Amino acid sequence: MTKPTFGTHPFLLGFDELERLVERTVRTGNDGYPPYNIEQTGEAGFRITLAVAGFAEADLSITLEDRQLVIRGRSQDDDARVYLHRGIAARQFQRAFVLADGVEVSGATLEHGLLHVDLQRSAPENVVKTIRIETGAQSDARTSRKE
């Protein structure tokens, strides 16, 4: 007997995409660069802060791709500079965060070498819908009218 996976459990209809979401989250990489914080800014607000010292606004891009927030940084090397010691990392990076349904990006700011991305979760609407139950005769009549 095989154990059903999370997405194939009979009580979780339509949640098969959840397994793919978890796999995609694992594949986003565990590189520690750049370091980041995630904080709660209110009852429905979050802020992701990345330490991006040495990156200008033009070197950074933020995109939302299929519920995945992707932050990329590409620094341009200045060939005119001669470094005696280079301790500030200036390599390119890509950080990805998977957002839940209803979470939207409300803004982004760059200040003092920190990139702040603000997120807001909208409250889901409670929807109650009554489903009409048809008898077999009504269903047969509807089928014969379509033919």
Side-chain angles (χ1 to χ4, degrees), residues 117-131:
V117 180
D118 293 313
L119 307 170
Q120 195 69 30
R121 181 192 325 244
S122 59
E125 295 180 23
N126 289 334
V127 178
V128 177
K129 183 178 178 181
T130 303
I131 309 300

Side-chain angles (χ1 to χ4, degrees), residues 21-121:
L21 184 66
V22 170
E23 289 173 10
R24 185 171 63 173
T25 303
V26 170
R27 280 186 270 130
T28 58
N30 295 326
D31 183 20
Y33 181 76
Y36 65 94
N37 293 334
I38 300 175
E39 61 184 297
Q40 189 163 1
T41 58
E43 191 171 311
F46 304 95
R47 174 176 268 190
I48 300 171
T49 302
L50 283 85
V52 291
F55 288 88
E57 183 180 347
D59 300 332
L60 300 168
S61 71
I62 303 171
T63 57
L64 194 57
E65 304 167 5
D66 189 30
R67 292 189 345 213
Q68 189 167 9
L69 177 68
V70 180
I71 304 169
R72 293 179 179 93
R74 171 168 272 147
S75 180
Q76 303 297 326
D77 278 339
D78 186 3
D79 295 332
R81 290 184 174 181
V82 176
Y83 292 97
L84 300 177
H85 171 75
R86 188 165 186 177
I88 300 172
R91 65 181 193 249
Q92 67 181 11
F93 69 87
Q94 176 175 313
R95 255 303 165 201
F97 302 90
V98 179
L99 303 182
D101 286 335
V103 175
E104 299 291 328
V105 178
S106 60
T109 56
L110 178 65
E111 58 184 2
H112 307 296
L114 298 174
L115 175 65
H116 303 288
V117 180
D118 293 313
L119 307 170
Q120 195 69 30
R121 181 192 325 244

